Amino acid sequence: MEEYDEEKNMQQREIKLGIPSYITVESEEGSFIGEQNSLKFEKEDICVEANENGEIWLTADTAPVKTVKLRWNTPLERTSKILGGVWERTYGDAEWKGMSGTRFMPWYFLALNEGVVTGYGVKVRPSAMCFWQADTRGITLVLDVRCGGTGVVLSGRKLLAAEVVAMQADDCTSFEAAKAFCRCMCTDPIFPDFPVYGSNNWYYAYGDSSEKEILQDTDYIVDITKGAENRPYMVIDDCWQEHHRLDEYNGGPWKKGNEKFPDMGALAKKLEEKGVRPGIWVRFLLNEEETIPEEWRISHNGCLDPSHPEALAYIKEDVKRICEWGYTLIKHDFTTFDLFGRWGLEMNPFPTSDGWSFYDKSKTSAEIVVELYRAIYETAKEYHVMILGCNTIGHLGAGLMHMQRTGDDTSGKTWERTKMMGVNTLAFCLPQHGTFFDIDADCVGIMGKIPWKLNSQWADLVTRSGTSLFVSAKPGVLNETEKEELHQMMLKASLQEEHKIPVDWEYTDCPELWADENEEVEYNWYEEAGNERKQLSLLSVYSVILISKLK
């Protein structure tokens, strides 16, 4: 089955978009279109320059600049199938689609036509929030350079807003082309030093746990990984923090545990002694500590504003404290929502609303996000601690996080949610695995509410994909036969030697056929009697998120 042998015969070539047909700049004073077919836009104190290398530079003095739009009137074939990126993670909504000029595609997109795949994107960690549009008449790139919801004031600073890259490939599968294009966009990724897998207690405890139960979970994960040379992780999710209030509040302070978690440092040592690697979940930007000055907070929601130097220093102290407790993986969550007040699927197309700004009005939102991720990573790096981003912007975090949770929550309660969120994100974000970071497509929730015949397929697929397998397994739910099946999967997950890819991803949003050079495996994600009565549409995801995440 040589067609699945990654990039074996692929013909790959860089392409240039050329001179933009139009450059449009929007400031707080209005919108202005530059001269046709020009690499340069000038209007009063605003200057935009695009060069042959794909760099887009913006300079302004006092004018608050909101967006820069570049249009190339180079049409795509109307028969093309299009796969776009996402702002921060998938919500079961990724798929190859036909041409639509109204669709917005964050960061990058791929166009497939008659066996040729063309990728258009920006290199990772740009200084703008970027999205694309494509139609039968041309291609548009929009750079949102706002500071929060108002124009950035650069005060003469020359900003490299983005670097455009484009690539064409044939003699390969669309998946292989997608992975090669991800490599073009990210040339400096960081990865874990070993295969990451293990346990996370969220999808059966849902925030109701204790040190005693974590230690029981640890005994269970040690049991179902016996024989593995690579130790698993035990990740303590939301439940441990000082001010934790079940179904009400899941923020900080992050200085100590609560009455159910009396000593977080001692607990990390107990986990090590039992034979696992200690990991922990944290939401750095939501913090109700009364001593925090209002100046450190974002105006529209009260979360910490990382553009304020003292607030960023405070966050770094939280990171340092957790590292010194002895946790070797930090899963930091909610930063996108806490910064912008929206989930990725609500960013239509802009990440946040108008009318507010971060503390430092001279920096773009993208710069502030990158600065936050860099501060977390570099602080943790001193302690050799791994970073897993959740509800993070992958395109801004590549190179600053070892792993990313690439989809919204799966479930320990509802199979339809696991199928929708888990399988979809694994398939369509898999090209980023090993190119941007390692991906975490989320957990297998084992609490007795989802039949094992369905859950076991999800666990098997994650294992065979070579990505990180995390289970939320309530001890005692699986019988001995099922437990042994999970044991064998965990042994494979400890090695990550298989790397199956979705074969049918061009035709479905929930791929069933997965293959590598050795074999093809078919999964059945659908129940014989049809989907569960409580199906999840994208519209219902909003309410599910609010309930399940306590937002």
Side-chain angles (χ1 to χ4, degrees):
M1 303 181 70
E2 291 186 353
E3 62 268 37
Y4 306 127
D5 194 1
E6 184 180 354
E7 301 173 32
K8 183 176 180 180
N9 302 307
M10 184 175 67
Q11 300 298 311
Q12 175 183 340
R13 53 201 168 275
E14 180 184 1
I15 61 175
K16 300 289 186 181
L17 289 180
I19 298 174
S21 302
Y22 293 97
I23 298 176
T24 304
V25 173
E26 181 187 8
S27 73
E28 296 289 352
E29 280 70 47
S31 182
F32 310 95
I33 301 177
E35 295 181 5
Q36 188 175 4
N37 300 323
S38 174
L39 288 169
K40 193 170 185 178
F41 169 101
E42 289 184 290
K43 176 72 173 179
E44 297 176 350
D45 69 344
I46 302 172
C47 179
V48 176
E49 295 178 272
N51 63 33
E52 297 293 337
N53 295 324
E55 297 173 340
I56 302 169
W57 293 89
L58 169 65
T59 308
D61 190 8
T62 60
V65 185
K66 298 174 71 175
T67 64
V68 176
K69 181 173 69 176
L70 297 94
R71 170 71 173 184
W72 292 268
N73 286 327
T74 306
L76 295 184
E77 293 293 336
R78 63 181 67 246
T79 55
S80 298
K81 296 189 73 173
I82 308 293
L83 176 63
V86 295
W87 279 120
E88 44 100 5
R89 57 183 174 180
T90 72
Y91 289 84
D93 53 347
E95 62 180 315
W96 288 91
K97 299 179 181 179
M99 186 77 70
S100 172
T102 60
R103 185 186 313 138
F104 65 92
M105 297 171 286
W107 311 119
Y108 67 93
F109 74 95
L110 302 167
L112 169 63
N113 189 66
E114 296 184 351
V116 179
V117 178
T118 308
Y120 304 86
V122 295
K123 286 189 176 181
V124 298
R125 301 191 303 280
S127 296
M129 307 291 285
C130 309
F131 69 87
W132 296 82
Q133 292 180 289
D135 55 62
T136 56
R137 304 292 179 175
I139 300 167
T140 303
L141 171 62
V142 177
L143 310 179
D144 180 357
V145 293
R146 293 178 300 166
C147 175
T150 58
V152 66
V153 181
L154 293 174
S155 299
R157 180 163 66 99
K158 190 172 184 179
L159 178 75
L160 178 57
E163 295 180 72
V164 175
V165 290
M167 186 205 84
Q168 200 166 73
D170 52 27
D171 289 334
C172 63
T173 67
S174 57
F175 184 90
E176 291 161 355
K179 189 156 190 175
F181 187 54
C182 286
R183 288 197 182 96
C184 290
M185 291 184 285
C186 183
T187 57
D188 59 350
I190 58 172
F191 305 112
D193 293 331
F194 46 81
V196 175
Y197 76 115
S199 178
N200 177 304
N201 71 316
W202 177 254
Y203 293 102
Y204 87 79
Y206 285 100
D208 187 6
S209 190
S210 65
E211 176 177 311
K212 179 181 178 181
E213 288 169 314
I214 292 296
L215 293 175
Q216 291 172 347
D217 292 342
T218 302
D219 290 337
Y220 192 77
I221 195 66
V222 168
D223 187 30
I224 60 173
T225 59
K226 59 181 180 291
E229 294 184 10
N230 175 25
R231 290 183 297 154
Y233 270 95
M234 179 65 233
V235 180
I236 306 170
D237 212 285
D238 171 28
C239 65
W240 64 269
Q241 62 271 32
E242 179 184 356
H243 287 195
H244 178 260
R245 299 187 291 278
L246 187 64
D247 299 332
E248 183 184 345
Y249 179 76
N250 64 348
W254 307 101
K255 296 182 176 180
K256 61 181 181 179
N258 53 49
E259 61 182 8
K260 293 183 178 180
F261 292 87
D263 190 328
M264 296 306 296
L267 178 54
K269 290 183 177 63
K270 291 176 184 178
L271 298 181
E272 285 272 8
E273 291 167 358
K274 283 181 174 288
V276 299
R277 306 177 196 267
I280 198 164
W281 172 97
V282 65
R283 182 178 182 176
F284 286 120
L285 299 184
L286 182 64
N287 195 316
E288 64 182 12
E289 184 174 6
E290 294 180 355
T291 60
I292 295 175
E294 284 302 310
E295 188 181 66
W296 296 9
R297 298 188 181 275
I298 298 171
S299 60
H300 68 84
N301 63 6
C303 289
L304 290 182
D305 183 341
S307 77
H308 193 295
E310 292 180 70
L312 189 62
Y314 180 96
I315 294 166
K316 291 169 70 173
E317 284 299 312
D318 280 343
V319 178
K320 180 179 178 181
R321 183 180 307 109
I322 291 170
C323 293
E324 290 178 344
W325 283 342
Y327 293 91
T328 59
L329 180 151
I330 294 177
K331 177 182 178 181
H332 67 84
D333 199 353
F334 287 94
T335 53
T336 304
F337 181 80
D338 289 345
L339 288 172
F340 298 109
R342 291 178 177 175
W343 306 109
L345 78 170
E346 297 174 299
M347 297 175 176
N348 298 305
F350 292 102
T352 193
S353 59
D354 285 330
W356 67 277
S357 67
F358 290 105
Y359 172 81
D360 188 344
K361 296 179 176 60
S362 71
K363 294 179 180 176
T364 68
S365 295
E367 288 182 293
I368 291 166
V369 172
V370 171
E371 190 174 51
L372 170 64
Y373 294 167
R374 191 181 306 279
I376 294 171
Y377 167 64
E378 290 184 349
T379 304
K381 184 180 179 181
E382 296 179 14
Y383 298 86
H384 306 288
V385 170
M386 194 181 310
I387 297 299
L388 166 57
C390 185
N391 184 226
T392 46
I393 299 174
H395 216 79
L396 299 180
L400 298 174
M401 55 183 66
H402 304 86
M403 303 175 64
Q404 193 206 17
R405 247 282 301 284
T406 46
D408 191 34
D409 288 13
T410 55
S411 179
K413 302 174 182 178
T414 306
W415 169 248
E416 188 65 18
R417 186 177 182 97
T418 295
K419 176 175 73 69
M420 179 179 179
M421 302 300 180
V423 179
N424 183 266
T425 194
L426 179 58
F428 290 93
C429 294
L430 191 57
Q432 297 175 3
H433 182 66
T435 56
F436 281 16
F437 27 57
D438 275 10
I439 73 166
D440 167 20
D442 210 8
C443 301
V444 182
I446 303 171
M447 59 184 300
K449 295 191 176 184
I450 297 175
W452 177 243
K453 69 176 182 178
L454 296 173
N455 249 348
S456 63
Q457 289 190 94
W458 171 230
D460 184 70
L461 173 59
V462 175
T463 300
R464 290 175 182 267
S465 71
T467 63
S468 297
L469 176 62
F470 283 103
V471 298
S472 294
K474 184 176 182 179
V477 169
L478 299 180
N479 62 38
E480 288 304 312
T481 299
E482 295 166 341
K483 185 178 174 183
E484 179 56 27
E485 289 176 7
L486 181 58
H487 174 220
Q488 293 303 318
M489 293 180 203
M490 297 302 284
L491 292 180
K492 290 181 181 179
S494 74
L495 302 172
Q496 293 180 0
E497 292 179 337
E498 287 189 62
H499 298 281
K500 286 183 169 54
I501 65 173
V503 178
D504 54 344
W505 77 326
E506 294 173 17
Y507 315 108
T508 175
D509 61 356
C510 191
E512 297 177 90
L513 300 176
W514 294 71
D516 56 18
E517 66 274 14
N518 298 314
E519 64 173 343
E520 182 175 284
V521 178
E522 181 173 358
Y523 296 95
N524 178 7
W525 306 119
Y526 304 99
E527 296 174 89
E528 292 184 4
N531 292 337
E532 296 179 12
R533 181 170 54 84
K534 295 181 180 179
Q535 296 184 44
L536 293 177
S537 68
L538 281 180
L539 291 176
S540 70
V541 166
Y542 289 103
S543 59
V544 173
I545 290 171
L546 290 173
I547 294 170
S548 67
K549 289 288 198 178
L550 318 180
K551 315 222 177 37

